[in-house]
Amino acid sequence: MPVGAHPKREREFRKLEKDFKQEGRYRGREEEVAARIVNKQRAQAGETLMPRVGKPTGKGGTPELPIDGYQHLTAAQIRGKLEGLSAADLKRLRAYEMAHKKRKGVLQALGA
């Protein structure tokens, strides 16, 4: 059981573990199965920690960018897709480009 779990959940865990041992169920895995059951109950009741909130990410863990598949596009393809993007979107792309590939043609098109 995680440190700081509610005493009620601790009791449930110990009872399940004891019952499994007495019944001979899940031999050698009684503690694991009891913990899984109680942790599932905790999650359903909203007692677990919330997921970490940070920058939204797309596939591959990269920040969400205004151009789909940006990191796989060539400089020419990117320049063709910049038309109509907001200043905030251009700024986000500029920051991403500076932190990653630093392509001169892209940075010039982004106004860096």
Side-chain angles (χ1 to χ4, degrees), residues 57-98:
T57 59
K59 293 181 181 174
T62 58
E64 198 63 48
L65 298 172
I67 297 175
D68 289 334
Y70 177 87
Q71 58 272 28
H72 303 293
L73 299 176
T74 65
Q77 291 170 322
I78 292 169
R79 284 193 304 266
K81 295 181 182 248
L82 295 178
E83 192 74 28
L85 293 179
S86 69
D89 288 340
L90 293 173
K91 184 177 180 181
R92 191 174 317 131
L93 288 175
R94 191 177 312 114
Y96 181 84
E97 189 66 32
M98 289 296 292

Side-chain angles (χ1 to χ4, degrees), residues 1-2 5-19 34-35 37-38 41-42 47:
M1 285 299 302
H6 194 277
K8 175 184 172 185
R9 298 295 183 197
E10 283 284 340
R11 286 191 304 273
E12 289 175 354
F13 169 74
R14 297 286 173 228
K15 183 179 183 331
L16 283 170
E17 186 180 27
K18 180 181 169 190
D19 290 348
I37 290 170
V38 173
Q41 292 171 343
R42 290 177 63 232
E47 297 171 12

Side-chain angles (χ1 to χ4, degrees), residues 23-39:
E23 296 169 8
R25 294 172 60 191
Y26 310 110
R27 291 190 191 274
R29 296 185 17 215
E30 299 91 350
E31 183 177 350
E32 174 192 350
V33 175
R36 286 176 185 249
I37 290 170
V38 173
N39 282 335

